[in-house]
Amino acid sequence: MKNRIYIFDTTLRDGEQSPGASLNLHDKLTIAQQLARLNVDVIEAGFPVSSQVQFEATRLIAEEVKGPIVAALARCVDLDIDRAAQALEKAKKPRIHVFAATSKIHLEKKFKKSEDEILELAVKGVKRAKNYFSDIEFSPEDSARTGKEFLFRIIAAAIAAGATVINIPDTVGYSNPDEFGRLIAEIRKRVAHIDRIILSVHCHNDLGLAVANTLSAIANGAQQAEVTINGIGERAGNASLEEVVMALKTRSDFYQKTTKIRTEEIIRTSRLVSSLTGILVQPNKAIVGSNAFAHESGIHQDAVIKDASTYEIMKPQDVGLESSRIVLGRHSGRHGLKQRLQELGYALNKTEIDHLYDRFLELADKKKEVFDEDLIALVIGDALQQEIYQLDYFHILSGSQTIPSATVRLRHEEKVIQEASAGDGPVDAAYKAIDRIVQMPVQLVSYSLQAVTEGKNAMGEVIVRVKQNGRNTIGRAASTDVVEASIKAYINALNRILSHETKHQPTETKHDNL
Ligand code: KIV
Ligand code: ZN
């Protein structure tokens, strides 16, 4: 096990602190199940004390998701630790992750507490958590800006109190690879009983160094990497899982470390997280960007055809990027659909398959070739629909010499309501007509449209982000008709607001007051 690096995924906790990310209970469970398929070692499911949704999501994941350790975050505060423990009650492998800030700047400006007072608090926190479970992680927040002597002292005290994992966060992304690597090496050398615990790192990306710092820490003795899918997270984000894992795999000659990650699940996980959070992946993003394996220059293309290793250091298949396969057509039956979805990792029950099958036939009628990506878009889209308002009919008038206008009819409970509106374009007109029906004032914050597969008849996926009472909610839909996808995405966002399932609750506390 000496060469094994543990992958601690914090997409659902730190990742969800990304500006604009908005996940409901169902989204979180779906992501956690995919993280289990990816075979991460630890899923940090949430910060249970911060809101009811965070608590419920952690509880649900602890109960439903088999395989990885499920961790919950808590400040060194009794209530936090007790809530984390309650949320983890049903987990097979629970871990409480307690943290306390240790840098001078945090002690003076945030807490007005001395080093000794914080050390006492940390020890009390670890001991209280230890009363619940055996696996306890302690993080001295802002470690990278903490005086070394105090950092070594508090780590030793946390180990003595029972911590099984010590995590060193570069909370504000301040460090650089040389310095951070040296810090890890010094901790290994100077802290008593450091070999009894797993030494972890958690790097933020404010200077674009999160992955480099994580890898340098690993080269210097860190055994666990805290990462997120697509590198999402607070401010500029966290070290990205896919980059850390593929760097270790591709350069195993250098790092001589392995992980248990099933790398062929990487692209699928990345797309799922992007779809559900509404945070798009930049095209040139390493490993998972749409251009990551695309060769544009003629010289490169020619060489890659002769031998891919000339310009490709990883095989696209290793991250799950197979060329799209035609899987099903309009003559495929329910059984074929169910089986292919199972192969893709989606186990649906009979009612879900029946429901999805109608939508599949509609799609297969419009589009002769149905690809894996289309199926996944259908499944996610179906799961996202919370049908308070349902689209019954729409008609759009648009052209170069016409004022765009839309007529939209929605079903709501037993009623069918129709409205029409003009607008700046067909989508704007349709959204105005929907606003007249639903009568719930929201602000459209962002709108994006991208093709799910290639070709003129590709499905278009629309993600909208709307704001209501300061709260962001995303809506998403896919269709071969981009206006239909736009209308359904907007209705989806409104339904999600109405169903009160979004994560932000009035009681929410971000982790900044201890
Ligand atoms: O960035 C940070 O310091 C954290 C801790 C809670 C680990 O997210
Ligand atoms: Zn963090």
Side-chain angles (χ1 to χ4, degrees), residues 322-392:
E322 287 174 74
S323 49
S324 289
R325 287 199 289 136
I326 303 166
V327 287
L328 301 167
R330 61 192 306 275
H331 300 296
S332 306
R334 282 181 174 73
H335 184 70
L337 176 67
K338 186 173 179 186
Q339 184 158 337
R340 185 61 198 147
L341 285 169
Q342 246 160 15
E343 285 160 12
L344 291 170
Y346 296 92
L348 303 192
N349 63 32
K350 187 172 174 314
T351 323
E352 288 165 335
I353 288 285
D354 285 346
H355 193 245
L356 195 76
Y357 189 66
D358 293 340
R359 310 231 301 118
F360 162 74
L361 284 185
E362 270 170 38
L363 179 64
D365 269 342
K366 289 184 194 159
K367 197 175 182 288
K368 286 179 199 70
E369 303 164 326
V370 179
F371 297 96
D372 287 349
E373 291 87 340
D374 296 323
L375 285 184
I376 293 170
L378 277 188
V379 176
I380 296 172
D382 226 42
L384 282 174
Q385 298 308 320
Q386 295 162 6
E387 297 174 333
I388 296 172
Y389 283 92
Q390 269 177 283
L391 179 63
D392 189 52

Side-chain angles (χ1 to χ4, degrees), residues 13-14 202 204 238:
R13 200 278 297 166
D14 217 328
H202 174 115
H204 278 271
N238 292 58

Side-chain angles (χ1 to χ4, degrees), residues 13-14 73 97 99 139 141-142 167 169 171 202 204 226 511:
R13 200 278 297 166
D14 217 328
L73 186 69
H97 176 189
F99 73 100
S139 290
E141 193 191 3
D142 206 14
N167 178 46
T171 303
H202 174 115
H204 278 271
E226 299 203 355
H511 69 269

